[in-house]
Structures are given as structure tokens and as C-alpha cells.
Amino acid sequence: MNAVAQKILIVIPVYNHGKTVLDVILRCQELHKDILVIDDGSRDLRPDHFKTSNVQVIFHPRNLGKGAALMTAAKEADRQGYTHMVTMDADLQHLPEDFLSFKQAVLHDPCAIIVGKRDFSDPAIPRASKFGRAFSNFWFRLQTGQPIGDAQSGFRAYPLFVLRELNLSQTRYDFEIEVLVKASWANVPIKDLNICVYYPPKGERISHFQLFVDNARLTHLNTRLTLRSFIPWPHKKILEQKNKLKFSIFHPLNSIRSFLAHAISPFDMALAGAVGVFLNTLPLIGIHMLSILMVTGFFRLNKVVAIGTGQLCMPPLVPALCIETGYFLTHGGKFLTDISFETLGNQFLERFYEYCLGALVLAPILAFFCFGLIFLTATALSGKPENQ
């Protein structure tokens, strides 16, 4: 996207913020001339409330939700030829002056969603807000494998092509979580930007967040997004990931070389491989892939390496070794040599117990050896030209 062609619209969604919205508009006008207000069915605004403000205003006849307001703004901004919209709340929690930082961030990275990370160092910040942010950040990381500073912040810069291409269904506060997760799945960069925040005294705060209803919506959304993130089915991509990597156990040296060439360190590669071997050794029957995706996603480990090395533990070799280890431990140092329907069929529960016991012993051992092998090999190869 050409930086010269970028055109930014400030968007201010309003719902019963009649006391503060004009102040927000005035301060924005001192910085930027293109402003759009979306009145989402407010009941405290006069008919001529915006008459002297000289800004574009779109009225929803009834309250449709913040997500719906933002999508109305996105469609109008797109129609008018804007490339980005910067959204800020109308309650003066955000400082309009921080818009200049967003403008510079958009110029620097026009394809990214820029999310304002609110400064929560002030002891006056409500504990509920701190907890809510940490909770949302945790789920975002679990669902995408990417850390974020403030998943709940409404002060953001959106490239309009992202909102145009994503399949978004939420219309209220949960919209702001959904768009970040699906954008991350689509290879859209999510960048943090430090911003200021103001929380007025408790008696003066205006919040339309409904504790039970909106938390129920967020819980339902996070459940769906988390389950979807575990399904190894490709997500819709808006931006293509360059030089997509694959790890093959049949060509391990070439695979390691390719990952090294893409700045993946020997340690990170080895750790991901060890996690793949460890989890695939455990008797997580039917959910090995799910467990690898969950753990690697949360700890930001390379999923490709973990899944690729985990294939080394596919049946029958490693499960058989686990059974033999468990049998050895429970039968006084003897190995299972009688392989028959009697020992594998009628005595299935005994074998499964031995499998579980042996897996607990072998999983860390095999993971340790996998880590060492990949780390030493990758370290050695990192110092050699690719054609050697």
C-alpha cells in the first residue's frame, strides 16, 4: 500500500455521551479535519447537538451496538475513498492528541491494525479494568499465538481493506475482540501503540458495558474462537505469508536449514521440536494435534516444527516402547515378549496402564534427546553455507 495515498478518517462512535462528545470533536478538529460521528441511537442528544461542530454525523435510529456502529463507519469511509479509520471513544477516556501517534504508525505500517495500549500504571485505574484487559489478552494469545498489550482498547487504527475482507459477525463490544483474532489469523499484523488513558472518579464514569450480558457474549465468542483455533483447517488469508515453511522428518537437514534462513533460532526450533515429541509421546489419544496447537499457540512456539517432529512418535514404535517401559517397571525388570490376542486384547486395560506409565517416563527423555539433537544440528548448520 502506497504511503502517499493513505487517507485517514477519525471515527467517534457515540451512545449517550452528550456531555463529552463535543469536547472530543473539538480537540480532534485541532489535529485533523476528517471526522465522522456515528450516533448509535443515543437518548441524551438534542436534535441540534452537532449543529455547530461541522462534522459528518450518521444516526442509527436505535442502538445497534458498538460493532455495528464501527462497521457503518467503515462502509461510509470506504465509500468516500478513505484507506484507514482511527476509532476513539466519546467519553474522553482516550486523549484525542494521541491521534498524531496513530497517524505516524499508519504511515509506517499501513497494512497493520494499530491498537492503543492504555497506560494502566495509575493506581486509580479500576481493578476490574486491569483484570478484564489481562483476561482478554490471555485469550487472544491462546487463539492466535501472538501477544497483545491491550485487546480491549477501543482507540485503534484500522486499514479499511481488512474490515472489508474479514467475515465479521459480532455487533457489540465483542466485535473488537473478533476483528483482532480474525485479522491475526488472516496474517494482518497487529501492533501495539502506547497511549494515555483517563478514568474519571467512580461517580462520574459513563459505561454501557453490561456486566452479565456482555460478559456472556464475550465468553461465547472466546469459546467459539478458541475451538476454531484448534481445528487444523486453514483460515482465510488477507495478506499472504511469505516463504511458507514446512518441516519434513524425511528431509530433516533441509528443513532445519530453511528455518534457520528465516531467522528462527536453534533454541526456538529445538524447543518446539521437544514439545512436539513430548506431547505426542503422551497417551493423549485423539487429541495429540489439538494439544500441540494449544501449547505452541500459547507459548508462541513454531507449530510447523512441533507437528513435524511429533510425527516421529506415531504408532506403533513409540507406543510399543512406552508399553514395554511400563511393563518393565511393573513386572520386576522383565519385558513383555508374548505378543498375542491374550496380552494385547484380553489384557488391554493392563497394557493401557503400562502405556500411560511408560509414556510419563519416556516423554521427557525423548523430548530431551530431541531438543539436544535439533539444537546441536541447527547450531552446526547455522555456521555452514546452504550449499554444503
Side-chain angles (χ1 to χ4, degrees), residues 85 108 111 130 174 197 205 227 232 242 269 325 375 386:
M85 70 179 192
H108 182 264
C111 290
K130 293 180 179 180
D174 43 5
V197 66
R205 292 174 197 159
L227 291 175
K242 296 180 180 179
M269 200 184 314
T325 301
F375 182 77
E386 188 173 341

Side-chain angles (χ1 to χ4, degrees), residues 5 27 70 88 209 236 258 279 301 309:
R27 290 165 65 177
L70 293 179
M88 69 177 73
F209 187 86
K236 177 181 179 180
S258 66
L279 293 174
L301 300 175
T309 54

Side-chain angles (χ1 to χ4, degrees), residues 263-319:
I264 298 178
S265 71
F267 179 84
D268 290 341
M269 200 184 314
L271 186 59
V275 167
V277 168
F278 179 85
L279 293 174
N280 260 13
T281 301
L282 296 177
L284 305 173
I285 299 173
I287 59 170
H288 283 112
M289 178 75 75
L290 181 65
S291 63
I292 290 175
L293 292 173
M294 180 175 178
V295 173
T296 55
F298 183 78
F299 291 105
R300 296 195 70 202
L301 300 175
N302 191 285
K303 296 181 177 67
V304 178
V305 174
I307 293 172
T309 54
Q311 295 175 13
L312 294 169
C313 302
M314 294 176 64
L317 180 59
V318 170

Side-chain angles (χ1 to χ4, degrees), residues 62-341:
R62 60 185 178 85
N63 178 248
L64 301 178
K66 188 176 184 181
L70 293 179
M71 287 306 296
T72 294
K75 292 174 183 177
E76 180 61 20
D78 208 15
R79 188 187 69 80
Q80 295 186 28
Y82 290 94
T83 60
H84 293 75
M85 70 179 192
V86 172
T87 65
M88 69 177 73
D89 293 344
D91 59 359
L92 281 178
Q93 179 191 129
H94 304 144
L95 300 187
E97 290 73 20
D98 280 331
F99 165 77
L100 296 178
S101 297
F102 278 92
K103 186 175 181 179
Q104 290 301 315
V106 167
L107 293 174
H108 182 264
D109 199 345
C111 290
I113 294 178
I114 313 297
V115 182
K117 180 182 177 183
R118 294 166 293 176
D119 181 5
F120 273 9
S121 60
D122 190 334
I125 303 297
R127 290 183 180 181
S129 297
K130 293 180 179 180
F131 173 80
R133 180 169 81 170
F135 192 68
S136 293
N137 290 352
F138 166 82
W139 284 109
F140 179 83
R141 180 170 180 172
L142 180 64
Q143 292 153 2
T144 67
Q146 176 181 349
I148 192 170
D150 195 346
Q152 290 189 336
S153 174
F155 204 167
R156 302 179 178 183
Y158 291 104
L160 292 177
F161 78 89
V162 173
L163 299 179
R164 187 168 59 244
E165 295 293 332
L166 288 180
N167 181 20
L168 302 168
S169 60
Q170 306 307 303
T171 60
R172 296 192 177 273
Y173 286 106
D174 43 5
F175 169 88
E176 292 180 314
I177 298 296
E178 180 191 30
V179 68
L180 289 183
V181 173
K182 290 186 175 180
S184 178
W185 289 347
N187 289 336
V188 175
I190 311 293
K191 302 292 182 67
D192 289 327
L193 179 68
N194 291 327
I195 60 171
C196 299
V197 66
Y198 170 70
Y199 275 88
K202 189 174 182 179
E204 300 177 16
R205 292 174 197 159
I206 300 175
S207 175
H208 304 297
F209 187 86
Q210 302 176 65
L211 182 62
F212 296 105
V213 175
D214 287 317
N215 273 321
R217 288 195 184 103
L218 288 171
T219 299
H220 179 255
L221 174 65
N222 278 318
T223 300
R224 289 197 297 109
L225 293 176
T226 301
L227 291 175
R228 175 63 183 91
S229 70
F230 292 158
I231 300 174
W233 187 265
H235 298 287
K236 177 181 179 180
K237 305 298 181 186
I238 295 177
L239 300 177
E240 289 301 320
Q241 184 177 2
K242 296 180 180 179
N243 301 319
K244 189 174 181 180
L245 299 173
K246 295 182 179 180
F247 191 95
S248 172
I249 60 175
F250 301 107
H251 303 284
L253 296 182
N254 290 336
S255 297
I256 291 175
R257 282 195 183 99
S258 66
F259 278 89
L260 290 171
H262 288 80
I264 298 178
S265 71
F267 179 84
D268 290 341
M269 200 184 314
L271 186 59
V275 167
V277 168
F278 179 85
L279 293 174
N280 260 13
T281 301
L282 296 177
L284 305 173
I285 299 173
I287 59 170
H288 283 112
M289 178 75 75
L290 181 65
S291 63
I292 290 175
L293 292 173
M294 180 175 178
V295 173
T296 55
F298 183 78
F299 291 105
R300 296 195 70 202
L301 300 175
N302 191 285
K303 296 181 177 67
V304 178
V305 174
I307 293 172
T309 54
Q311 295 175 13
L312 294 169
C313 302
M314 294 176 64
L317 180 59
V318 170
L321 288 175
C322 292
I323 292 174
E324 287 290 356
T325 301
Y327 191 92
F328 180 86
L329 294 174
T330 56
H331 289 77
K334 296 180 181 179
F335 289 103
L336 176 65
T337 56
D338 180 15
I339 308 300
S340 64
F341 180 79

Side-chain angles (χ1 to χ4, degrees), residues 18-38:
K19 295 180 179 180
T20 56
V21 63
L22 292 179
D23 190 4
V24 174
I25 292 172
L26 180 62
R27 290 165 65 177
C28 285
Q29 286 176 324
E30 295 176 356
L31 308 169
H32 193 71
K33 63 182 180 63
D34 298 328
I35 302 170
L36 172 64
V37 174
I38 305 293

Side-chain angles (χ1 to χ4, degrees), residues 346-363:
N346 294 338
Q347 299 175 10
F348 170 78
L349 293 179
E350 295 177 38
R351 298 294 86 81
F352 183 72
Y353 170 74
E354 292 155 4
Y355 175 26
C356 296
L357 180 61
L360 293 176
V361 174
L362 287 183

